[in-house]
C-alpha cells in the first residue's frame, strides 16, 4: 500500500469523497412499528436511491482531530455510476485541494503544495491519498446515504426492531456493516462499520433531510474515523439533484509536480 500523502487538506478529502451522533429526521423520537418487515422498511430508500441519479451540492465543511481543527467550504458533484468531483476552499475562497475521479482513475490536485497525483482508483491508492482504505463504490454511495438497499434487502445477517430504531446488520469478509433507520420516513440515519474483532472503525450519520422533487437528501452528514479520531462534518446549504450534465473540470498549471501511481 502507498505511504500516506503528507497533506493537511487531504484530511478533508478523506471523508468528503469517501467510505460515518445519532440523528433524527424530526425533533422527537418516533416509536418503531414492530410488525414492519424489512421489505417495507427499505421501500422508501430503494425508491429514493433509484430516483437520485446524480447530485451537485455546496456547503460548509469542518475537520476535527486530536490536534487540529479546520473549516471551509466544499463543492461536491457525484454523477453515477462512477464520476466524482470535490473542491475544498478555505478562508476567503482560496482553493486548497481538488479531487476528480472518473471510472477507474483519479486525479488529486493539492493547490497548496503545487502537486498533482494521478492513478487508478484502487483501495490502496485511495487509502494513501485519503488516509482511509475504501472503495470507489463506497465513496459514491456514502456521500448521500444511498447504499445498495435492493441488495441489502436480500442479503443481510440480522434485522432487529428496537423502540426507536430499526437495525440491519450485514457481515462480510472485513467485518460487519450496520444500518440504522429512524421510524416515520424510514430513511437511514446512521451507518457503522466494525472490523472482524468487533471494533467500530467508521461511523456516518445523516440528518436534516430535505425533500427535493420527490427525493430525500441529507443536508447534514457527520463522518467519523474512530481509529484515528478524526471527524468531518458537512452542512449543505445548496443541493441540486439530477442535474442535466457534469460541468466540472480539474485544471492545473503545467509547472506543478506530477506523481503517477499504477
Amino acid at each position: 500500500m502507498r505511504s500516506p500523502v503528507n497533506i493537511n487538506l487531504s484530511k478533508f478529502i478523506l471523508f468528503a469523497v469517501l467510505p460515518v451522533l445519532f440523528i433524527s429526521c424530526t425533533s422527537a423520537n418516533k416509536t418503531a412499528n414492530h410488525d414492519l418487515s424489512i421489505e417495507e422498511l427499505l421501500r422508501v430508500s430503494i425508491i429514493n436511491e433509484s430516483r437520485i441519479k446524480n447530485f451537485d451540492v455546496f456547503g460548509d465543511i469542518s475537520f476535527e482531530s486530536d490536534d487540529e481543527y479546520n473549516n471551509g467550504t466544499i463543492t461536491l458533484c457525484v454523477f453515477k455510476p462512477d464520476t466524482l468531483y470535490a473542491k475544498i476552499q478555505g478562508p476567503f475562497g482560496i482553493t486548497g485541494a481538488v479531487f476528480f475521479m472518473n471510472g477507474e482513475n483519479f486525479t488529486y490536485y493539492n493547490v497548496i503544495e503545487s502537486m498533482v497525483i494521478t492513478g487508478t482508483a484502487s483501495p490502496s491508492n485511495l487509502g494513501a491519498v485519503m488516509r482511509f482504505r475504501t472503495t470507489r463504490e463506497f465513496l459514491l454511495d456514502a456521500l448521500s446515504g444511498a447504499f445498495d438497499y435492493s441488495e441489502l434487502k436480500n442479503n443481510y445477517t440480522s434485522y432487529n426492531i428496537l423502540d426507536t430504531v430499526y437495525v440491519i446488520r450485514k457481515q462480510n469478509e472485513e467485518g460487519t456493516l450496520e444500518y440504522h433507520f429512524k421510524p416515520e420516513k424510514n430513511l437511514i440515519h446512521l451507518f457503522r462499520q466494525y472490523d472482524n474483532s468487533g471494533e467500530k472503525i467508521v461511523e456516518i450519520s445523516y440528518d436534516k433531510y430535505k425533500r427535493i422533487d420527490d427525493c430525500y437528501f441529507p443536508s447534514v452528514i457527520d463522518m467519523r474515523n474512530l481509529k484515528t479520531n478524526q471527524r468531518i462534518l458537512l452542512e449543505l446549504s445548496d443541493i441540486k439533484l439530477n442535474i442535466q450534465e457534469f460541468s466540472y473540470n480539474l485544471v492545473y498549471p503545467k509547472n506543478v509536480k506530477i506523481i503517477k501511481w499504477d
Side-chain angles (χ1 to χ4, degrees):
M1 180 175 177
R2 309 279 184 180
S3 299
V5 180
N6 186 24
I7 301 170
N8 284 340
L9 285 172
S10 69
K11 295 177 182 178
F12 283 136
I13 300 298
L14 160 63
F15 289 114
V17 295
L18 236 150
V20 272
L21 331 150
F22 273 4
I23 302 214
S24 62
C25 298
T26 60
S27 58
N29 289 328
K30 301 295 182 179
T31 301
N33 176 3
H34 284 254
D35 295 324
L36 194 70
S37 68
I38 193 169
E39 290 81 8
E40 293 172 305
L41 171 66
L42 294 177
R43 183 178 63 85
V44 172
S45 294
I46 291 172
I47 294 173
N48 201 52
E49 177 191 354
S50 67
R51 287 177 176 171
I52 300 177
K53 304 299 181 183
N54 53 69
F55 57 88
D56 185 352
V57 302
F58 173 83
D60 295 326
I61 180 172
S62 59
F63 169 81
E64 295 179 34
S65 66
D66 290 335
D67 56 0
E68 184 179 357
Y69 175 84
N70 283 304
N71 58 53
T73 62
I74 180 171
T75 298
L76 175 66
C77 185
V78 169
F79 238 68
K80 296 181 179 181
D82 58 11
T83 303
L84 182 150
Y85 171 92
K87 179 172 70 173
I88 305 297
Q89 293 177 293
F92 311 108
I94 298 174
T95 299
V98 184
F99 183 93
F100 177 74
M101 182 171 63
N102 186 1
E104 299 296 329
N105 301 307
F106 78 91
T107 301
Y108 172 61
Y109 176 28
N110 183 314
V111 181
I112 304 300
E113 300 290 336
S114 190
M115 178 176 65
V116 170
I117 299 174
T118 66
T120 58
S122 64
S124 59
N125 282 350
L126 293 177
V129 171
M130 302 173 192
R131 310 290 181 89
F132 191 92
R133 187 176 178 86
T134 187
T135 66
R136 177 171 50 105
E137 293 77 14
F138 182 81
L139 289 178
L140 297 171
D141 291 345
L143 286 169
S144 62
F147 300 99
D148 191 349
Y149 297 111
S150 297
E151 193 275 340
L152 180 63
K153 179 183 68 173
N154 300 310
N155 184 16
Y156 62 94
T157 304
S158 67
Y159 171 46
N160 299 103
I161 303 176
L162 308 179
D163 287 340
T164 59
V165 68
Y166 305 93
V167 181
I168 302 175
R169 293 181 180 87
K170 177 182 177 181
Q171 290 182 310
N172 58 25
E173 295 179 353
E174 298 181 352
T176 301
L177 307 179
E178 195 172 82
Y179 306 82
H180 291 226
F181 299 80
K182 280 291 182 71
E184 193 178 31
K185 293 292 190 298
N186 297 338
L187 296 167
I188 189 168
H189 86 100
L190 187 67
F191 168 86
R192 287 173 174 168
Q193 181 178 358
Y194 301 83
D195 63 20
N196 282 316
S197 69
E199 181 182 1
K200 183 168 60 176
I201 57 177
V202 172
E203 182 170 288
I204 312 177
S205 60
Y206 303 91
D207 191 17
K208 296 184 179 178
Y209 279 86
K210 292 185 177 181
R211 185 172 181 175
I212 304 171
D213 297 331
D214 293 325
C215 300
Y216 295 96
F217 198 96
S219 63
V220 176
I221 304 175
D222 191 352
M223 307 180 175
R224 298 170 186 260
N225 181 337
L226 284 307
K227 281 197 168 184
T228 59
N229 198 28
Q230 293 174 313
R231 177 190 180 193
I232 291 291
L233 177 64
L234 303 180
E235 297 177 285
L236 305 175
S237 56
D238 185 18
I239 300 172
K240 297 182 179 67
L241 303 181
N242 299 324
I243 55 180
Q244 295 300 310
E245 59 183 0
F246 187 87
S247 58
Y248 294 99
N249 293 308
L250 196 164
V251 180
Y252 50 84
K254 293 182 179 179
N255 61 344
V256 301
K257 180 180 180 181
I258 299 178
I259 302 173
K260 296 183 178 180
W261 290 350
D262 296 333

